[in-house]
Amino acid sequence: MSNVNMEATTILPILKKKLAFLSGGKDRRSGLILTIPLCSDQTSMEELSATLDYLLSIPSEKCKARGFTVIVDGRKSQWNIVKTVVLMLQNVIPAEVSLVCVVKPDEFWDKKVTHFCFWKEKDRLGFEVILVSANKLTRYIEPCQLTDDFGGSLDYDHSDWLNKRLVFEKFTKESTSLLDELSIINDGDKSSSVDKDKSADCALLPSFDPETVLQTGHELLSELQQRRFNGSEGGGGGGGGGQGGPAWCPMEEELLAQPQVMKLLDSLREQYTKYQEVCRQRNKRTQLDEIHAKVMQVVTWLQGPGSELLKTHQAIGDSMRAAQALQQKHEEIESQHSEWFAVYVELNQQIAALLSAGEEEEVLELKALQQQLSDVCYRQAAQLESRQNVLQAAQSFHNTTQELSQQLDGLLGMLCADVAPADGASIQQNLKLLEEKLQSVEAGLTSLRQKGGSLLEQMCSQPSWPLEETESPAGEQQDNVQQIQSVMEEMQLRKQRCEDMVDVRRLKMLQMVQLFKCEEDALQSVEWLGELLDALLKTHVRLGDDSQETRTMLDKHRKFVDVAQSTYDYGRQLLQATVVLCQSLRCTTRSSGDTLPRLNRVWKQFSVSAEERQQRLELALNFHTSAEKVLQQECVEAESLDEVDTSGRTLLDRLTVPIIFPDGSEQYFGSPSDTAAAAEGVRERLLLVEERRLQLQEARLHNDDQEEGVMNGQEGRLDVIGEELSEKEEQEEEEEVEHEEKDGDAERRDEGLDRATQDC
């Protein structure tokens, strides 16, 4: 964003009048549109000039170089005022104006009055002036770049725009002042002592609240990123918003304050972090004492009451209900431990934070506390986890046993029933259901084995307490082991009997299911190939902005074609398999009769489209390569420039040609706006080549004159440098005088305050 020389607050009443505004629209040369809505009242030329000066200070020099299109709305004004405003533009912004469109009223001014021809004054004015009615303004400017006052679709809220400008300028002013104060505070703290009085904390308070300023900056930055600084929704006022064209950001980076706000926020966060560190150093010693007391409190409880709770609850139960009751009791014990573990986590975080910035003796003390606390907490957490694993394993084993028994009963009932499906869909559904049930049984038995083994392992490997041994009833544990093994053997025998019966039925139905599956997959391959064709025609439109990008797109296109080829081959193989299965089953196919012609038709259309896409990318690659070569070389032949121009125009012509399918139908790549966007990049590169041609011509014309003006130019530059140095010295002397006057005023104010204090 360019530097703003004046603030909106200084001329706020004038800006509220909306004497002129930048709506965010652009002309066909990408120049900004400046609108001057004249009203029936007398317009103050001074206020209008001040408004124009402020608006013109916002865009960057690069944006100004593209020129402005000025719309003078004279429908509610008189001819002499319109004429005065147009002539005033010559003095205010003559170099930046490319075109002035004077919108005339429906009842046109007197011909004698308007006999003054602006086009004859073009050389004197420095820009072109045209008289046009509001409904014909779209001949010169796209409707999507015009506001609703002229029948356009571009949204513009002047009050919203002005409010955003005021917020941005206020944030810039406050953040700059706050940065200076924080820098002074942070630098001053380095030379001060560690121990300070509580009254000294007042000296650490800046004039502005850093959190408030940061929040204001983030809100402003969020607003800029979402709505753009010009008051438009994302793309809502864009150049392609109404025609499906490429996304456009109003007034680009020239009117966006986002980079400057981000820079200020980064600097402010950096200084604010240092400021917080200064404040944290004052509280470090107090935190150390508090941490020590809390650590000892946690250690005392975990080694005392917490350990006793775990030692008195070691049973695992012999049924689902008993395991659930033990699990509930264990959750109560865990809940009590969680409160102390939360204190441990908080203490550990505090200790880690202090370790990173503590003194040497503080680090040793903190590390000892941290190690003691961690050892006790981890040991207690390991005991809780081991107990939890045993209870969960027992409960899960009993639950899995019950579910597996129910699954085996359901599978056996399905196998005993005589099911005779009437059609292929029923066969497929019946076989699928049968396979799902068998897989569910297999998964259940596998899960049962895993959970039984896990339970046995947990029971045999419970950790012991370090200071005493825990008695465990060996006989009861052995009975539990035998019961678990017996249950798993019984489930294995039942599953084997059901599996033998499933194999018999599966063999009768598998071939028919495979036939239906091949037919469905063949149709799916046709749909996939159609989706690839649709994606190719609708989304593969861009040609790349340079040779590297185009070459990458060409490689991706070849991979895309390979995917389509694999899909087509897959469909052919499925159809061949369908024929073989039908012959084996002695039945006719239901849907594959028209699948092969559909597959071939879609493939032919894809092949034609892919070939056209590849040729366009190859043309684009040739064009970008040649253009980059002539733009990078210092000496370029005219023939090379002509070749680039020819190849670029050939590519543009190729973009307008439709694809002709074998059946005679035509299809274009993407929408017209997508094609226009692709062509725009080619035209921009052609413009660069044309500029290169003009530079070469000018270099040849001025080659001789340049040698004669070398000596004169050097002498002139020496004079200019001498004048600049003199002006700089005078400016520095004036600044020193101003600083001395300000210091004198400050001393006089301090003396007056001292006298007033003594009088009181």
Side-chain angles (χ1 to χ4, degrees), residues 588-644:
T588 58
T589 59
R590 296 178 296 106
S591 60
S592 61
D594 61 341
T595 304
L596 182 59
R598 289 177 55 194
L599 180 64
N600 291 332
R601 182 173 60 255
V602 176
W603 173 246
K604 290 178 181 179
Q605 292 178 351
F606 182 87
S607 300
V608 173
S609 303
E611 180 64 24
E612 176 64 21
R613 171 64 176 169
Q614 181 169 354
Q615 292 178 3
R616 292 187 181 186
L617 288 173
E618 290 174 350
L619 287 174
L621 178 60
N622 183 38
F623 165 70
H624 285 302
T625 303
S626 301
E628 292 170 359
K629 183 177 180 181
V630 298
L631 290 175
Q632 293 174 359
Q633 291 179 350
E634 296 181 358
C635 298
V636 182
E637 297 295 335
E639 292 77 3
S640 299
L641 296 174
D642 295 337
E643 291 177 0
V644 175

Side-chain angles (χ1 to χ4, degrees), residues 12 40 42 108 126 142 166 186 228 237 307 489 554 583:
L12 183 59
S40 58
Q42 187 69 22
F108 197 47
E142 296 294 337
L166 292 174
N186 294 334
R228 308 296 181 186
S307 297
E489 291 175 357
L554 188 59
Q583 293 175 354

Side-chain angles (χ1 to χ4, degrees), residues 500-711:
D500 294 339
M501 298 175 66
V502 169
D503 291 339
V504 176
R505 180 162 299 189
R506 183 193 298 114
L507 292 175
K508 297 179 181 179
M509 303 167 62
L510 190 58
Q511 272 194 321
M512 185 61 71
V513 172
Q514 188 176 6
L515 172 62
F516 296 140
K517 181 61 176 175
C518 289
E519 292 178 351
E520 292 177 0
D521 290 348
L523 290 174
Q524 183 65 49
S525 65
V526 176
E527 294 179 1
W528 287 345
L529 196 58
E531 292 174 357
L532 292 175
L533 175 61
D534 187 63
L536 176 62
L537 293 175
K538 291 184 178 180
T539 63
H540 294 208
V541 183
R542 292 187 66 252
L543 299 177
D545 297 331
D546 51 35
S547 61
Q548 181 65 30
E549 184 179 1
T550 304
R551 187 176 291 104
T552 302
M553 296 177 69
L554 188 59
D555 294 338
K556 291 182 179 179
H557 174 72
R558 294 192 180 99
K559 295 179 181 179
F560 185 78
V561 173
D562 292 341
V563 173
Q565 179 69 51
S566 301
T567 304
Y568 172 71
D569 295 340
Y570 177 64
R572 291 296 298 266
Q573 294 172 2
L574 289 173
L575 292 176
Q576 293 174 0
T578 302
V579 174
V580 174
L581 288 172
C582 288
Q583 293 175 354
S584 176
L585 295 172
R586 298 180 181 179
C587 65
T588 58
T589 59
R590 296 178 296 106
S591 60
S592 61
D594 61 341
T595 304
L596 182 59
R598 289 177 55 194
L599 180 64
N600 291 332
R601 182 173 60 255
V602 176
W603 173 246
K604 290 178 181 179
Q605 292 178 351
F606 182 87
S607 300
V608 173
S609 303
E611 180 64 24
E612 176 64 21
R613 171 64 176 169
Q614 181 169 354
Q615 292 178 3
R616 292 187 181 186
L617 288 173
E618 290 174 350
L619 287 174
L621 178 60
N622 183 38
F623 165 70
H624 285 302
T625 303
S626 301
E628 292 170 359
K629 183 177 180 181
V630 298
L631 290 175
Q632 293 174 359
Q633 291 179 350
E634 296 181 358
C635 298
V636 182
E637 297 295 335
E639 292 77 3
S640 299
L641 296 174
D642 295 337
E643 291 177 0
V644 175
D645 185 75
T646 302
S647 62
R649 298 188 183 279
T650 301
L651 179 58
L652 291 175
D653 294 338
R654 190 65 176 265
L655 292 178
T656 61
V657 177
I659 305 170
I660 301 177
F661 293 137
D663 58 358
S665 60
E666 296 181 355
Q667 181 68 40
Y668 289 89
F669 279 103
S671 62
S673 59
D674 295 334
T675 304
E680 184 64 23
V682 178
R683 293 192 183 96
E684 291 178 357
R685 184 58 66 90
L686 286 175
L687 289 176
L688 294 176
V689 174
E690 188 62 26
E691 291 178 0
R692 179 61 172 164
R693 187 195 301 273
L694 294 176
Q695 291 175 0
L696 292 175
Q697 292 176 356
E698 292 177 359
R700 294 190 187 97
L701 291 175
H702 295 85
N703 188 24
D704 296 335
D705 296 339
Q706 186 176 4
E707 294 179 357
E708 295 178 0
V710 170
M711 296 303 297

Side-chain angles (χ1 to χ4, degrees), residues 218-250:
H218 286 299
E219 293 175 354
L220 177 59
L221 181 60
S222 176
E223 185 71 20
L224 295 176
Q225 292 173 340
Q226 295 177 1
R227 299 190 55 189
R228 308 296 181 186
F229 189 64
N230 201 33
S232 263
E233 296 292 344
Q243 299 179 354
W248 177 81
C249 299

